[in-house]
Structures are given as structure tokens and as C-alpha cells.
Amino acid sequence: MKTMELNNLYEFTKKLTLLYIEEDFTTIKSNLTLFQKYFNEIITVKNPMEALEKVNNHNIDVVISEMNFTNFSGVKLLKELKDLNKNIIKIILTNEKNSHIFVETISLGINGYMIKPFDEEQFKKILDKFIGEYIVNKKDKSNLKLLKQYQEIVDKSTIVSKTDPNGIITYANENFCKIAEYTEEELIGKNHNIVRHPDNPKEIFEDMWETIKDRKEEWTGIIKNKSKSGNSYYVKSTITPVFDEDGNIVEYIGVRNAISSIMSDKRHLIDKIAASNLSLLVLIQIEEFEILDKFYNTKTLNEIENVFGLELLNHLPNGYIFESIFNIGNGKFALLTDFFNYLNSEQNIIDYLNDFVKRVKKSVLTIDEIEYDLNVIVSYSFGKESLYEDAKCGLDEVIAKKDLIKYANDSSIKEHQVAKNNLEVIKIVKIALENYNIVSYFQPIINNKTQEIEKYESLVRLIDENGKVLTPYHFLDISKKGNYYNKITMRVLENSFKILNKINTKLSINISSADIEKEETRNKIFELITTYSKDSNRIVFELLEDENVKDFQVIKDFIRKVKKQGVQIAIDDFGAGYSNFERLFDFEPDILKIDGSLIKNIATNAYSRNIVETIVAFAKKQKIETIAEFVENKEIFDILNVIGVDYSQGYYFGKPENLD
């Protein structure tokens, strides 16, 4: 029986009479305060003879008794109480030293043992466990009337049938007849397999009969049935054996719920989670569904999803059935159930889902005589807050790691922390933009022959509310998610062009392909070039390449247009990432900035040095200048001079500074 709410427990126990047997008056007085919270009527006695007299002459519901009496055996008292009224709830007060009491009283139908000193929580658990069962056993007229009402409700809301021990139908309610499309007369006397669909694996029924007939236990599972007209429908079935007084099976009662209609709206799933307490959610993804999406037309794909959704029910192991099933699109399905219901089933979730995955793998989905071999990957999570997000993160991790099953809560903790940190960064960026604390620092670029500063590179920085200066690593990529990246680009452009009034060298400004593709950014750049037209020949745009360029022609047109204004083009991070020699024909750069990962290892890594030498040799033939990044010491600088690199940039010559 499920755990009662405390108020409901009070409601039941207040109707009962308690007999409390205790010789010691002080102990009685101290325990009465607790007992009075649960019982309106309490009878206290000090010896077993009085107790037996009270049970004979009063309607006693609960007995709480000490076991150590003067001149009377506590075990004997319990035996006589059982003879007088076997339905009385009997609770023993004892201590750990009286362990033999447990052995002696087990056969007497004791409902609970309280170890002294006991507390209210211990007492409540004992009552909670047995009080409901006791009330059901009180066969008064009101309870019988309620039971009849319950039967009527079940009969109206579910599909019910009865069979004899051989599976011959002896009763079918109106709902059964309606969904099966048979009359009651057509069903009575027929074997239950009259509605059985041939698609059901024979193992389902072998397991069912072994459970209800051999083990004499209740069986629950999903069964595919067929109506009189040939329509298929699925039912969640619970079949229970009914026994006579000698323990022989006299009939079977089947209670079913139709579950053919699988909800297809993700919103329903989210709402269901929100309306529940703690839930267990399983997300199922048809493996490599995106390949099916490209291969088949929409109609075929929808049919695969719908049929698989129904067949999915057949593949669920019989140990537990989920209450709700959702088709949430793109080959994803969700199973949802109350977490504590599942916990009480004592089913191992890993074993359950592994069994499910194997069942799907062994199966073949047949649609219009075409067979499809489908596999699934699975993620599961339990809780309430962010339950769907947790399971989705777990599913993403399954795909990334090529696993089959993932417990999502472990990975989602990290995911939630990342998401929380991202939101904090976006807030910091927003505040910095509002307060004009997106600033530019400038790092010198040295002519290797003269060792004079001939250029500066503009580098974005963020100053937070505490005055701390943050590098792009801490905020730039995250800003793209918050739609602040373009605003940062605008601020950097303004800061960079303004500094032209304070320096007499050239100035390099980083621009990505994504920046150039935005018309707003291009317009801003051309506006600034026009405003600072006398200084346009001092501007260098360093192109940060991006493999996700949507319109390469826009990039080429931009380069051609700014070069006409005297602006130079540099390729940033050349020699690593996406950069390649073929791209140079499209960009026609004036400068190559050699990637820092090659430069910082050039003194110790012959491979890096060979690549740099190749780049420099090619650049000289094409009359393209070269700049080495990450020049950290004299040894690196000397090697670069030998190779013939034109410019150096790095901490050996200067860190980025705020020239304002």
C-alpha cells in the first residue's frame, strides 16, 4: 500500500480505539502524549488480565503492549489476543536485548515492533504500513458499499474481462466489447485468443502463463490485440489470479487500458513533467535517424515513426510498464512514469533498458512488405526540474561517445553548470556594453630588421564591474550565443579607428568571415573608412577564417572593395586551422600572420620550423609580408630573422596595452 499523507493517517487512526498495556505508570504518562495525537479513544491497562477483559467487552482496533509482565508471559498474552480477535493490530514495545521476542512472536501475526526508546517517526511508519490494510479488512456495510462503487468505477473506466482457469472468457464488460468490436454473446465461452494479434511474440504469453498459473502472481505487460474488423490496438494489461480458500485458482481477472494513441506533442510531455512530483524520464532516439531523413520522403518517414512508436510497446520488458509514451519528433520518443512507482517495482533500470535495446535490435520493422532494421540509443533521468533538458543532454552525450545508454543526471550537472556560467558571462557582457567597458588594447608589431614598432594589433578586452580586465577567451564565443557578438564587433571597430589619431603606425583589426557576411557590419566598416579616409592606408584587416562561410562571394567582394580604399588584407593564424595556400588566390592578401602554435615551438620542433620556412619562401615569391605571432624570447626571434620573417609580435617586444 502506498505511503499515506500525515493528515490522511490522522483521519484514519482517529476513528480507531487503542488499548495500551504497560505496568509502569511513568512510562504510560510519557507515551500518552504521542498516542493522543493519533487516537481519540485510548484505554490504558497495567496487566494482561485487564487487557483481555477490555478486548472481550470493547471494540479494540489497536493494541500496543509491553512484553515484560509480573507473573504473566507477554507471548501468552499475544496468543490469547489473537484467539479473541485475529484482526487487531498488535504492536510490541521491546528493546534490543529482547531479541528472542522477535523469534517467538513472528508466528503470532505481529504487525510491528518498536524498539525503546522509540520516536514518533518510528511509530508513524508502523501505522502507515498496516492501518490501511486493517481498515479494508473491517467488513462493515459502508466498506462493502464503497467496494461496490469502486468496482463500478473500474468497470466504467477500464477494459475488464474474466476467464476460467483455462482461459475461456466468462465475463467481458462494455468497454471490452466496444474496443474488440464483439458483442458479449460473441465473447462469452470463447478462448481469450479470439482478440490476440498474430504479431505478438509467443514469449509474451509463455511468460504470462508462467507468472499467473505456475507462480500464481500478478502479470503486467503490453499486448497487441486485433478487433473483429481487423484493426490493431494496444492495451496495458494487468492479469491477476483469484483463489479459493484452499489456494486454488478459480479464475483470472484482466484489467486493461488502451494505449494505442501515443501523444505526439513535446509540449504535452513538458506539461506532464511539470504537473508531476518526481518522475523517471527515458528518451529514445532511432539511431542515425538523420540518414533516414535524407533517404526517404516525408510520408514514408512519418510512417516509420508512427509504426515504430506502436511497435516500441512490444519491445518494452514485462517487468515494468510506463504510464505515458510520447512521440516528440525527429525519431525521438519519451517514456514517463512516477519515479517512486518505478522504485517500488525493484526493477533495475540499466537491465531494463539494456533488455529493451536488445529487443529492438533483434526486431524488424515491416511497412508495406518492406523491412527496416532499426536500432535505438537511450538516455534516462529522474527528478523534476530540468528533467527533459537533463535527458536530452544525456542523449547528446550518447551520440557523441557512441554509447547505447546514458544516465543523464551525471552529465547534466556539468551541463547545467556550464549553462549557468554562460548566462553569467552574457550578463557581464551586457553590462560592459552599456557602460562602454568593451575596450581595445593594442600590441606592438616589430620590424625584424629595424626592431622598430611599425604596426599595432587591436585586441578586444572587457572590463567587468570589479575593474578586472578579461581577454576574449572568457567572453567572445559565449557572446555569439547571446547575440552580443555583433555589438562587440561594432565597439571594437569604433575604438580601433579612433586610436588612429594617437598613433602614427599601421593598425591591424581582426574581422571574421561571419562579421563580413553581416550587411550591418560591412556598412559600418565602409562608413569608418570614409570618415578616416586620409588614414585608410594605415588600416590592415586581419581575416579570421571560418569554415562555415555561407556566401564566399560576399567575402571576395568586400576584400576587393576595401583594397581599393588603400586598406591591406592579412590572413590571421596562417599555417593552422582552416588556412591553406589555395585560399590565398581568393583573398589576395598583403600579409600572412603565421600561426602562434608553429612559432612557439620553432626552437625545439623541426616540423614547425620546416612549415614556417615553406610559408616564408612562398610569401617572398608572391611579395607577401610575413608576421610571426607568439614571439616570446630572443631565441625564437633570432631563428625568425634567419628564416627571413619580416615582422614579430609577442611578449618579447610588448604586451597588449590600453594606449588611451
Side-chain angles (χ1 to χ4, degrees):
M1 189 160 185
K2 290 185 179 179
T3 301
M4 294 184 187
E5 295 292 336
L6 186 58
N7 289 337
N8 290 338
L9 188 59
Y10 285 157
E11 181 183 340
F12 281 115
T13 57
K14 288 292 185 181
K15 300 175 184 177
L16 306 181
T17 300
L18 167 66
L19 175 62
Y20 178 28
I21 311 167
E22 173 63 65
E23 283 186 337
D24 183 63
F25 176 77
T26 304
T27 305
I28 292 176
K29 188 175 180 181
S30 64
N31 289 338
L32 271 180
T33 303
L34 170 60
F35 297 154
Q36 285 168 349
K37 288 180 63 176
Y38 291 86
F39 301 95
N40 280 336
E41 185 175 356
I42 301 175
I43 300 172
T44 60
V45 297
K46 293 185 177 181
N47 63 71
M49 296 308 297
E50 284 185 74
L52 294 172
E53 185 271 329
K54 295 294 183 185
V55 172
N56 261 322
N57 297 298
H58 294 78
N59 292 321
I60 304 297
D61 301 292
V62 182
V63 170
I64 298 177
S65 177
E66 169 63 65
M67 290 301 291
N68 297 320
F69 298 106
T70 305
N71 300 323
F72 203 97
S73 165
V75 174
K76 181 182 178 183
L77 169 63
L78 293 175
K79 286 180 179 178
E80 295 194 22
L81 284 174
K82 183 179 180 182
D83 292 339
L84 289 172
N85 187 345
K86 65 179 180 179
N87 293 322
I88 289 179
I89 294 177
K90 298 175 283 295
I91 300 171
I92 290 175
L93 296 176
T94 184
N95 54 53
E96 294 180 2
K97 294 179 180 178
N98 291 340
S99 58
H100 66 281
I101 291 295
F102 296 98
V103 178
E104 293 181 50
T105 57
I106 284 175
S107 62
L108 299 177
I110 301 305
N111 300 95
Y113 299 86
M114 291 200 297
I115 307 298
K116 296 189 291 186
F118 64 89
D119 55 27
E120 182 175 2
E121 191 61 29
Q122 183 185 356
F123 181 54
K124 178 178 173 294
K125 285 181 180 178
I126 291 174
L127 289 179
D128 186 31
K129 185 174 181 180
F130 296 105
I131 208 73
E133 182 181 344
Y134 174 73
I135 291 170
V136 171
N137 289 333
K138 292 187 71 176
K139 299 180 180 179
D140 54 34
K141 291 182 180 180
S142 61
N143 280 357
L144 290 174
K145 185 178 180 180
L146 282 174
L147 182 60
K148 185 177 180 180
Q149 290 176 359
Y150 293 153
Q151 289 173 335
E152 289 175 355
I153 291 170
V154 169
D155 217 32
K156 289 178 180 179
S157 60
T158 57
I159 301 164
V160 181
S161 68
K162 295 181 183 179
T163 70
D164 66 16
N166 297 315
I168 303 300
I169 299 173
T170 59
Y171 169 78
N173 74 345
E174 184 179 344
N175 288 331
F176 192 109
C177 297
K178 185 176 180 180
I179 196 169
E181 300 175 353
Y182 288 99
T183 65
E184 186 176 0
E185 290 74 18
E186 289 175 314
L187 291 171
I188 302 300
K190 300 293 192 303
N191 193 291
H192 216 291
N193 61 20
I194 188 175
V195 294
R196 183 185 302 175
H197 198 288
D199 286 352
N200 288 297
K202 66 178 182 179
E203 291 80 9
I204 290 180
F205 300 101
E206 289 173 356
D207 177 65
M208 181 188 75
W209 281 108
E210 181 188 351
T211 302
I212 63 176
K213 185 177 181 180
D214 299 337
R215 299 205 305 268
K216 298 183 178 181
E217 296 174 357
E218 180 183 277
W219 181 89
T220 299
I222 297 290
I223 295 178
K224 184 177 182 179
N225 284 339
K226 184 174 69 173
S227 69
K228 184 178 180 180
S229 64
N231 293 323
S232 300
Y233 63 95
Y234 288 85
V235 289
K236 175 184 176 181
S237 302
T238 299
I239 301 174
T240 306
V242 179
F243 307 96
D244 61 18
E245 292 183 356
D246 298 323
N248 300 313
I249 297 174
V250 294
E251 65 178 352
Y252 299 104
I253 296 179
V255 179
R256 304 165 185 85
N257 291 297
I259 53 175
S260 295
S261 57
I262 301 176
M263 287 179 280
S264 59
D265 186 358
K266 190 174 88 172
R267 185 71 255 165
H268 288 164
L269 171 62
I270 304 301
D271 291 344
K272 180 82 172 178
I273 292 171
S276 305
N277 291 320
L278 291 181
S279 299
L280 169 64
L281 173 66
V282 176
L283 284 188
I284 300 163
Q285 170 75 65
I286 297 177
E287 197 170 15
E288 298 180 341
F289 186 78
E290 68 279 0
I291 296 177
L292 297 176
D293 192 14
K294 293 176 182 177
F295 191 80
Y296 296 107
N297 59 37
T298 303
K299 181 182 177 181
T300 303
L301 201 65
N302 287 340
E303 196 164 0
I304 289 173
E305 277 193 289
N306 292 335
V307 174
F308 177 79
L310 293 174
E311 291 295 324
L312 181 153
L313 302 169
N314 277 335
H315 303 315
L316 291 176
N318 291 325
Y320 188 81
I321 302 301
F322 284 75
E323 289 91 346
S324 302
I325 302 172
F326 302 82
N327 180 347
I328 54 180
N330 295 321
K332 289 188 181 69
F333 298 84
L335 309 177
L336 188 70
T337 188
D338 180 86
F339 173 69
F340 291 108
N341 283 352
Y342 188 87
L343 203 62
N344 291 336
S345 75
E346 297 183 356
Q347 178 81 45
N348 182 298
I349 185 65
I350 294 293
D351 293 342
Y352 182 91
L353 294 178
N354 271 322
D355 190 7
F356 166 70
V357 170
K358 290 175 183 177
R359 285 168 178 247
V360 174
K361 190 171 184 178
K362 290 179 181 178
S363 68
V364 175
L365 189 70
T366 303
I367 302 175
D368 296 333
E369 299 183 354
I370 298 176
E371 295 184 345
Y372 302 87
D373 290 319
L374 299 180
N375 294 321
V376 294
I377 54 177
V378 178
S379 166
Y380 70 97
S381 178
F382 63 84
K384 181 176 176 67
E385 300 298 329
S386 303
L387 184 63
Y388 177 76
E389 291 78 5
D390 288 353
K392 187 175 180 300
C393 288
L395 204 57
D396 292 340
E397 191 167 334
V398 171
I399 295 170
K401 294 186 176 181
K402 301 186 183 301
D403 294 329
L404 291 177
I405 298 172
K406 176 65 181 177
Y407 170 50
N409 293 69
D410 289 340
S411 60
S412 65
I413 292 172
K414 182 179 178 181
E415 295 286 344
H416 287 318
Q417 188 59 47
V418 170
K420 181 180 178 182
N421 292 341
N422 288 348
L423 284 174
E424 290 299 322
V425 171
I426 288 173
K427 288 179 184 177
I428 292 171
V429 170
K430 183 175 183 293
I431 293 170
L433 283 165
E434 290 172 352
N435 296 328
Y436 289 88
N437 278 331
I438 298 294
V439 300
S440 293
Y441 276 35
F442 301 90
Q443 187 172 28
I445 299 174
I446 306 300
N447 184 311
N448 284 353
K449 292 180 180 178
T450 65
Q451 296 192 30
E452 297 291 331
I453 299 174
E454 286 196 10
K455 313 174 195 289
Y456 282 96
E457 180 181 2
S458 176
L459 300 167
V460 65
R461 297 290 186 268
L462 182 150
I463 302 175
D464 68 15
E465 292 181 287
N466 298 318
K468 184 178 179 181
V469 179
L470 304 180
T471 63
Y473 169 81
H474 296 93
F475 65 89
L476 203 57
D477 283 342
I478 297 172
S479 298
K480 295 176 183 178
K481 299 180 179 70
N483 202 29
Y484 289 106
Y485 179 79
N486 195 49
K487 294 179 181 179
I488 292 173
T489 299
M490 295 295 190
R491 195 64 55 82
V492 168
L493 288 169
E494 291 170 355
N495 294 339
S496 300
F497 274 85
K498 284 179 182 178
I499 208 68
L500 288 170
N501 296 326
K502 296 189 178 184
I503 61 174
N504 55 14
T505 65
K506 290 187 176 184
L507 178 67
S508 285
I509 305 170
N510 292 301
I511 299 180
S512 70
S513 299
D515 289 327
I516 298 172
E517 285 186 316
K518 285 186 170 62
E519 184 178 2
E520 181 184 4
T521 307
R522 296 199 305 273
N523 291 339
K524 182 67 174 180
I525 289 172
F526 293 132
E527 175 192 323
L528 288 169
I529 289 175
T530 301
T531 302
Y532 292 85
S533 58
K534 63 181 179 64
D535 296 309
S536 60
N537 62 335
R538 291 199 286 143
I539 294 294
V540 179
F541 284 135
E542 293 187 17
L543 298 186
L544 306 172
E545 291 193 80
D546 186 346
E547 65 177 352
N548 298 316
V549 176
K550 296 176 183 176
D551 191 344
F552 192 72
Q553 188 59 46
V554 171
I555 311 297
K556 291 174 69 174
D557 291 343
F558 171 82
I559 291 172
R560 178 178 49 79
K561 191 171 181 179
V562 296
K563 288 187 79 170
K564 284 184 178 180
Q565 303 293 322
V567 174
Q568 289 186 305
I569 297 296
I571 303 296
D572 198 18
D573 297 333
F574 192 79
Y578 313 123
S579 298
N580 58 70
F581 287 95
E582 183 181 356
R583 185 60 54 87
L584 299 181
F585 294 108
D586 297 315
F587 285 173
E588 298 181 1
D590 304 288
I591 302 165
L592 294 182
K593 291 195 74 174
I594 304 170
D595 187 71
S597 64
L598 299 172
I599 301 301
K600 64 183 179 182
N601 297 321
I602 200 168
T604 57
N605 189 311
Y607 182 78
S608 294
R609 178 164 180 162
N610 291 338
I611 292 177
V612 173
E613 287 176 346
T614 301
I615 293 172
V616 172
F618 172 83
K620 287 188 180 300
K621 287 184 179 181
Q622 300 298 320
K623 294 182 173 52
I624 298 174
E625 294 180 338
T626 52
I627 299 175
E629 299 179 294
F630 280 81
V631 182
E632 306 295 324
N633 54 56
K634 187 175 185 302
E635 183 181 13
I636 292 175
F637 175 67
D638 289 341
I639 293 172
L640 296 173
N641 260 331
V642 171
I643 293 173
V645 175
D646 299 308
Y647 296 91
S648 292
Q649 178 181 352
Y651 278 19
Y652 181 58
F653 294 105
K655 297 180 180 181
E657 294 179 340
N658 187 341
L659 296 183
D660 285 335

